[in-house]
Amino acid sequence: ITMISTNNDNNNDNEKKREDESTIENDDFSAHEALSILESLQSQIEELQPKTDKIRKRMNEKDPITEAPRYGEQTMKRAIHFCKCFDSFRCALEMSTNNIDVEQKLRQEIQEEQKIGKQRQEQEEEAAKIEKEGIQQMDVIRKQQQLQEEHQAQLERQREVEQLARRAEEARRQRLEAEQRTIQAAREADRAFEASVEKGPDGIRQQLIKLKEACSMSNTKEYSDAITALHTIFDQIVSHPEEVKYRRIRRD
């Protein structure tokens, strides 16, 4: 009895100390916590009930020989005090738990807390979903921008290639035109030269006179070599009148 009473007193002191600390930290209990405390107290009462019944039984027993009570005076006082405390505690707990309004209110508050918790969870899930969709949408926009940039870069490269091709074609055209002008100028110069030369026997006679004048009077071999070359040219023209190549002489 002494051990049970002492343990009960210690438990009560510890519980009171925890309750005081909890009250200092948080003045309000949630409905779930309050209901959990009530159920814990009920469990403790059920656990102490057999021990209390055993103490009550021993309090009513007497020694068969001496007819004296089983407990001594001090032990009996402690046993009576313990039973009174137990009865008061059980009565208070029964009054609290038998109050349907209190229990119903606690359960309603628990349901409300669960409802609020569910709503909060749904809101968090919805926010996470919106955030995820926003991230996905940003990824899609980023990919589209990347594709547009790549397409724009490809178009820019294509324009550069086309521009280089046009420049190359323009340069080639200008080069061909320049070559054509050079050829045309050479042809016109040849025609002008041919037109300036007198044709027929008179023209040959006139050119022979110029040739003789151009050659040094002291160097007869130079004049002889020139006449021999002219004779060869005329002989080839007469022998091959259809061949154009025999009618041309390089100026060098």
Side-chain angles (χ1 to χ4, degrees):
I1 295 171
T2 303
M3 182 181 66
I4 293 173
S5 178
T6 303
N7 291 336
N8 186 51
D9 292 339
N10 291 334
N11 291 334
N12 291 334
D13 292 339
N14 292 333
E15 289 179 1
K16 183 177 181 182
K17 184 178 180 180
R18 287 195 297 269
E19 289 176 358
D20 293 339
E21 292 176 351
S22 176
T23 304
I24 293 174
E25 293 176 356
N26 187 5
D27 294 335
D28 297 328
F29 287 105
S30 66
H32 188 273
E33 290 174 343
L35 188 60
S36 177
I37 291 173
L38 288 176
E39 292 176 351
S40 176
L41 293 175
Q42 288 176 346
S43 176
Q44 292 178 12
I45 288 295
E46 292 174 358
E47 183 179 354
L48 290 175
Q49 185 66 52
K51 297 179 182 180
T52 305
D53 293 340
K54 185 177 180 180
I55 292 172
R56 292 182 190 278
K57 182 179 178 182
R58 293 285 291 178
M59 288 171 60
N60 296 323
E61 291 179 353
K62 294 182 179 181
D63 187 270
I65 298 174
T66 62
E67 293 295 327
R70 290 285 187 181
Y71 293 148
E73 184 179 355
Q74 295 298 326
T75 304
M76 183 65 73
K77 289 181 179 180
R78 286 195 294 270
I80 293 172
H81 178 69
F82 172 78
C83 291
K84 287 181 178 180
C85 291
F86 177 80
D87 291 340
S88 298
F89 184 69
R90 185 182 61 183
C91 181
L93 184 63
E94 287 178 354
M95 290 177 64
S96 299
T97 55
N98 290 334
N99 191 338
I100 300 177
D101 293 337
V102 174
E103 185 176 359
Q104 185 177 3
K105 183 178 180 181
L106 289 175
R107 295 191 181 278
Q108 288 177 352
E109 290 181 1
I110 292 173
Q111 292 178 355
E112 187 67 22
E113 290 178 357
Q114 292 176 348
K115 182 179 179 181
I116 294 173
K118 185 177 180 181
Q119 291 177 351
R120 185 182 298 109
Q121 182 179 2
E122 290 176 353
Q123 291 176 356
E124 291 176 354
E125 292 176 353
E126 183 67 20
K129 181 180 178 181
I130 293 173
E131 182 179 2
K132 183 178 180 181
E133 291 177 352
I135 294 174
Q136 292 177 350
Q137 187 175 4
M138 290 297 296
D139 290 339
V140 172
I141 294 174
R142 191 180 300 110
K143 289 180 180 179
Q144 290 178 352
Q145 291 178 349
Q146 184 178 0
L147 290 175
Q148 290 178 356
E149 291 175 357
E150 292 177 354
H151 181 66
Q152 188 67 25
Q154 184 177 2
L155 292 177
E156 187 66 23
R157 289 193 297 269
Q158 185 176 356
R159 284 194 294 268
E160 291 179 356
V161 171
E162 292 176 354
Q163 187 175 5
L164 290 175
R166 287 194 298 269
R167 290 179 180 177
E169 181 64 23
E170 181 66 20
R172 189 181 70 84
R173 185 184 62 79
Q174 292 178 359
R175 179 175 54 81
L176 291 177
E177 290 179 355
E179 291 177 355
Q180 188 66 26
R181 287 194 298 268
T182 302
I183 295 173
Q184 186 66 24
R187 290 177 180 176
E188 291 178 357
D190 289 341
R191 286 195 294 267
F193 177 75
E194 292 177 358
S196 64
V197 176
E198 188 176 355
K199 311 300 189 292
D202 294 335
I204 294 174
R205 192 178 296 109
Q206 183 180 0
Q207 295 301 323
L208 288 174
I209 293 172
K210 290 182 179 180
L211 178 62
K212 188 175 181 179
E213 292 175 352
C215 294
S216 178
M217 298 300 295
S218 61
N219 191 356
T220 57
K221 186 178 181 303
E222 185 180 7
Y223 179 72
S224 176
D225 290 340
I227 293 299
T228 301
L230 285 174
H231 183 272
T232 302
I233 291 171
F234 289 150
D235 184 60
Q236 289 177 349
I237 293 173
V238 172
S239 300
H240 306 283
E242 71 281 356
E243 294 291 339
V244 178
K245 64 180 181 179
Y246 293 118
R247 301 180 183 180
R248 296 182 178 274
I249 302 174
R250 292 184 302 176
R251 294 183 180 182
D252 56 357

